[in-house]
Amino acid sequence: MLAMTALLTACHNAKVPEQFTDIKKAPNIYPDYTDVTIPVNIAPLTFELEEACDEMVARFTVGDYQLVCGGEAVQPDMDDWRELVNKAVGKDINVEVFARMGESWGRYKPFRITVSADSIDPYISYRLISPSYVAYEELTLNQRCVENYDEQVVVNNMLCGEEISGQCVNCHNYQQYNPLRMQFHARQFHGGTVIAYDGKLRKINMRNDSILSAGVYPAWHPWLPLIVYSTNKTSQSFHTRHMNKIEVFDAESDLIAYDVVKNEVTNIENDGSEFEVFPVWAPDGKTLYYCSAHFEFRDTVSHGVEVVRRYREVKYNIYKKSFNPDTYQFGPRELVFQADSLDKSATLPRVSPDGRFLMFTLGNYGVFHIWHREADLYLLDLTSGQVRAMDEINSPETESYHAWSSNGRWVVFSSRRDDGSYTRPFFAHIDANGKGSKPFELPQADPDYHRQFLKCYNIPEFMRGPVEVTPQEFASVLKASDGEPVKYVQKLSK
């Protein structure tokens, strides 16, 4: 069979073979980019053939325009890729993969890549951590430009100490995708909450006798200088006979509100028989969603031991509270989704920017679903009340942390679908009706990068641009002092 040979551009001097035999199956490539939908501004998708061959070539076609790449892997040039996707906006790119075995070439069944006109936020950030239980000090918060392959360290935990003088860094979060308004926590030796707010960098000591603990899981108000946190007494326990290796749990947890400008904090939910966690704001700033599990202690052993013994009983539901931005006052809680009636546990609620959908993770029990193989993403339509599993996105392995893009057309989420051990970021397009496209993995210059990189991507968050504070500046503010002590008040006021 003869193939077209007219080309407009090629990479690595690759050429489409003139003679080949059709192979009656789709190519097995890694990462799997077959039949995915991508944003117009995404970095080039690189991939390699999982089947043994002596040489491979891929041809991308849109109308009369062709891009040909080949070698050991398909790695399009940045400029050529940008021209290709710009010509394909709202259309499909046809992809043909050719493989040479000895002297003979074969062509696999073509697949498509759909290019959406919906762009994606240019940056994401995440924590990189080993999939272990004792080496957590050697971690970083990184940011990555998804329009190319540029990645920078934002916070380097090892700059602040190691081993017995070390700490853990976690829970980075931004106000409305704004990298100038950022916060993260450090635990242990240089513990405190670091807040970057319009050029001012501060370390806050949020420990206070009137609240359970320092802030843990954060939720910036959409425009007010206000952060709601859960406060948590968190521990971990190891399973001896279970497909889930480890259980991270709370023996107590409450909700607090913190005024960034006044440096004031107050309790907003502190019922001893409720484990409140994972606050998140609706985009209108008038509703706070969160999760809570009802758990009554029998007080025959310590609370931590009791939760470990009764871990399967801990089931989280989703609630909401009204909020008045003019008075800073919260209303009573209201039930949104009763997961425990299904013998399930709902965590990590995230509201779409248009306020219509609430995406969350559903597992069999507990709060830390990143360690639960059964955890999947679910979608609640807040206008109709309908809830469904996002089967078009989920896999047999763990789906957990997730975030919406600022235009509400994309989600990024952590998944262990590749190997069951490492969490990696995947993206999916979400249409106006909440339907997701087939997810695709964060592109890398080397398509085999993720399989060789022995770190987990934790808590992916979208950003409108990069954080400009250097790792050294963050380390200096962490090490400088114990932090500004917060003032506890009975209620916040504007």
Side-chain angles (χ1 to χ4, degrees):
M1 182 179 294
L2 292 178
M4 296 172 59
T5 57
L7 304 175
L8 293 183
T9 184
C11 58
H12 303 143
N13 299 315
K15 294 182 179 180
V16 173
E18 295 185 2
Q19 300 286 340
F20 55 81
T21 301
D22 279 329
I23 302 172
K24 305 297 184 181
K25 64 176 182 177
N28 182 14
I29 61 172
Y30 178 82
D32 181 9
Y33 292 135
T34 61
D35 302 325
V36 297
T37 297
I38 62 172
V40 63
N41 59 325
I42 198 69
L45 304 187
T46 67
F47 59 86
E48 57 191 1
L49 194 61
E50 291 284 81
E51 301 171 22
C53 68
D54 297 311
E55 186 180 356
M56 68 175 297
V57 170
R59 174 166 58 188
F60 303 84
T61 306
V62 178
D64 294 332
Y65 183 82
Q66 297 181 46
L67 170 61
V68 177
C69 296
E72 294 183 357
V74 173
Q75 297 168 292
D77 174 80
M78 189 72 68
D79 291 337
D80 292 341
W81 174 262
R82 195 63 56 212
E83 184 173 0
L84 173 73
V85 293
N86 284 334
K87 290 179 181 294
V89 174
K91 306 174 186 176
D92 291 346
I93 299 173
N94 188 66
V95 186
E96 301 164 277
V97 175
F98 303 82
R100 180 175 64 84
M101 281 74 77
E103 300 299 320
S104 301
W105 283 90
R107 182 183 68 170
Y108 293 91
K109 290 177 64 174
F111 63 89
R112 61 176 178 81
I113 297 173
T114 301
V115 180
S116 172
D118 296 322
S119 61
I120 200 167
D121 295 291
Y123 278 81
I124 61 171
S125 57
Y126 38 77
R127 184 171 67 155
L128 293 177
I129 185 170
S130 300
S132 63
Y133 321 106
V134 294
Y136 60 85
E137 292 95 343
E138 188 180 344
L139 60 85
T140 59
L141 297 181
N142 284 34
Q143 61 188 7
R144 161 70 190 272
C145 179
V146 300
E147 297 180 332
N148 52 45
Y149 307 120
D150 293 345
E151 183 182 43
Q152 299 89 31
V153 174
V154 177
V155 178
N156 186 345
N157 196 43
M158 298 298 285
L159 291 176
C160 295
E162 55 187 280
E163 296 180 350
I164 61 172
S165 62
Q167 66 279 308
C168 175
V169 171
N170 57 13
C171 299
H172 56 287
N173 192 255
Y174 310 89
Q175 185 178 44
Q176 285 295 90
Y177 310 90
N178 183 354
L180 296 177
R181 296 183 175 183
M182 173 194 180
Q183 77 90 65
F184 68 90
H185 303 304
R187 304 287 180 212
Q188 296 175 269
F189 193 65
H190 293 296
T193 298
V194 175
I195 296 178
Y197 195 79
D198 294 347
K200 186 177 182 180
L201 194 60
R202 302 157 61 204
K203 178 183 177 181
I204 306 300
N205 180 359
M206 211 171 292
R207 294 186 179 276
N208 187 281
D209 291 341
S210 297
I211 60 177
L212 179 63
S213 73
V216 180
Y217 300 109
W220 283 87
H221 188 272
W223 68 86
L224 294 173
L226 180 69
I227 307 175
V228 171
Y229 292 98
S230 65
T231 56
N232 306 65
K233 292 289 183 70
T234 301
S235 300
Q236 64 180 12
S237 179
F238 295 87
H239 291 290
T240 56
R241 291 180 297 175
H242 201 288
M243 68 175 183
N244 297 328
K245 303 173 185 176
I246 186 173
E247 206 62 54
V248 180
F249 62 92
D250 292 327
E252 297 179 73
S253 55
D254 296 326
L255 293 182
I256 63 172
Y258 171 70
D259 188 313
V260 175
V261 174
K262 295 182 179 180
N263 196 32
E264 294 178 344
V265 66
T266 192
N267 284 297
I268 58 176
E269 282 285 332
N270 60 344
D271 186 333
S273 63
E274 293 286 333
F275 297 162
E276 300 94 351
V277 72
F278 296 135
V280 66
W281 289 97
D284 66 2
K286 297 180 180 180
T287 305
L288 179 76
Y289 293 89
Y290 64 97
C291 300
S292 185
H294 184 73
F295 191 89
E296 296 188 7
F297 290 99
R298 297 167 185 160
D299 290 326
T300 56
V301 293
S302 69
H303 284 188
V305 171
E306 186 166 353
V307 174
V308 170
R309 290 180 178 178
R310 298 169 56 197
Y311 71 94
R312 287 187 179 274
E313 299 176 33
V314 183
K315 314 277 185 177
Y316 286 79
N317 299 320
I318 300 176
Y319 295 88
K320 68 178 180 180
K321 296 173 75 71
S322 63
F323 176 75
N324 188 327
D326 295 322
T327 64
Y328 274 39
Q329 297 307 298
F330 291 90
R333 79 173 190 174
E334 302 174 54
L335 181 64
V336 175
F337 177 67
Q338 191 170 0
D340 63 1
S341 67
L342 305 173
D343 199 28
K344 297 290 184 180
S345 184
T347 62
L348 296 165
R350 296 289 184 268
V351 185
S352 60
D354 62 3
R356 179 179 173 184
F357 298 109
L358 186 149
M359 189 178 296
F360 61 95
T361 302
L362 194 70
N364 290 340
Y365 59 87
V367 69
F368 217 70
H369 285 156
I370 196 169
W371 285 111
H372 286 207
R373 292 186 64 188
E374 83 281 358
D376 280 330
L377 296 178
Y378 277 67
L379 195 70
L380 165 62
D381 188 329
L382 293 171
T383 61
S384 67
Q386 293 183 335
V387 180
R388 70 173 183 88
M390 301 197 73
D391 294 330
E392 70 276 26
I393 286 179
N394 294 323
S395 74
E397 295 292 343
T398 304
E399 267 69 59
S400 56
Y401 294 109
H402 48 279
W404 294 88
S405 65
S406 60
N407 62 7
R409 294 278 73 90
W410 302 92
V411 292
V412 60
F413 61 95
S414 295
S415 179
R416 290 185 170 169
R417 66 188 58 203
D418 279 349
D419 52 31
S421 297
Y422 289 87
T423 50
R424 299 181 178 109
F426 283 76
F427 301 89
H429 184 263
I430 307 295
D431 68 19
N433 296 315
K435 181 71 173 178
S437 66
K438 178 182 176 179
F440 68 93
E441 198 163 352
L442 174 68
Q444 298 286 358
D446 178 359
D448 206 44
Y449 178 85
H450 283 144
R451 294 196 290 199
Q452 299 182 36
F453 184 56
L454 303 182
K455 290 289 181 74
C456 290
Y457 292 74
N458 188 237
I459 316 180
E461 294 278 355
F462 282 110
M463 307 145 68
R464 297 185 188 275
V467 173
E468 299 293 351
V469 182
T470 68
Q472 290 75 20
E473 290 171 319
F474 277 129
S476 293
V477 76
L478 271 173
K479 293 187 291 185
S481 69
D482 291 333
E484 303 173 38
V486 295
K487 177 183 179 182
Y488 183 82
V489 295
Q490 292 298 319
K491 62 179 182 179
L492 299 179
S493 59
K494 196 166 183 179

